Amino acid sequence: VQLQASGGGLVQAGGFLRLSCAVSRCTFGSYGLGWFRQAPGKEREFVAQVSLSGIIYADYLKGRFTISRDNAKNTLYLQMNSLKPEDTAVYYCAVSTSGWGRRRQEEYDYWGQGTQVTVSS
């Protein structure tokens, strides 16, 4: 399984970005696909996950982010709106063969290389 994240960049507070993650060599529709992020000096934290069973988000997002998947393109997305400086982090996409409802990074088997998101105030 290979994952390639893209779409990060520099944006002002209140702006938006859309991250993409191309997934290859994987039965895309069968697994849980997630996004995590890691800010400088902090541990990696869960952002969102989508699977055939549903979608879950981290509580702190308060509806600002939307995760989605395009099975025809084998691509995972993260639409991020109303960005805040505290959203600054490296964002990682990941695949969990364990399925739905996985919030811990230990439950994910494959990881992309990460894409940097920087939100200026």
Side-chain angles (χ1 to χ4, degrees):
V1 178
Q2 294 182 337
L3 300 92
Q4 180 72 41
S6 61
L10 174 63
V11 63
Q12 289 187 333
F16 62 91
L17 281 174
R18 187 193 196 200
L19 305 184
S20 299
C21 177
V23 184
S24 61
R25 302 182 182 180
C26 169
T27 308
F28 187 79
S30 301
Y31 300 141
L33 306 175
W35 288 99
F36 286 75
R37 69 185 188 183
Q38 186 167 19
K42 295 186 177 181
E43 294 188 353
R44 191 173 299 185
E45 63 179 358
F46 173 76
V47 175
Q49 189 213 40
V50 59
S51 73
L52 294 177
S53 299
I55 293 174
I56 55 173
Y57 292 98
D59 293 339
Y60 61 80
L61 290 177
K62 299 186 185 301
R64 296 186 297 118
F65 293 5
T66 301
I67 189 172
S68 62
R69 63 196 291 172
D70 186 330
N71 290 342
K73 296 181 178 180
N74 276 21
T75 302
L76 174 70
Y77 301 100
L78 185 68
Q79 178 69 41
M80 306 186 295
N81 298 328
S82 302
L83 283 163
K84 305 175 181 181
E86 50 264 43
D87 294 319
T88 295
V90 177
Y91 284 71
Y92 298 90
C93 53
V95 170
S96 173
T97 60
S98 301
W100 182 72
R102 307 301 173 178
R103 297 177 180 266
R104 298 185 301 117
Q105 57 179 319
E106 294 79 9
E107 296 173 308
Y108 286 76
D109 306 282
Y110 305 99
W111 293 83
Q113 85 290 356
T115 184
Q116 176 70 47
V117 172
T118 303
V119 184
S120 62
S121 58

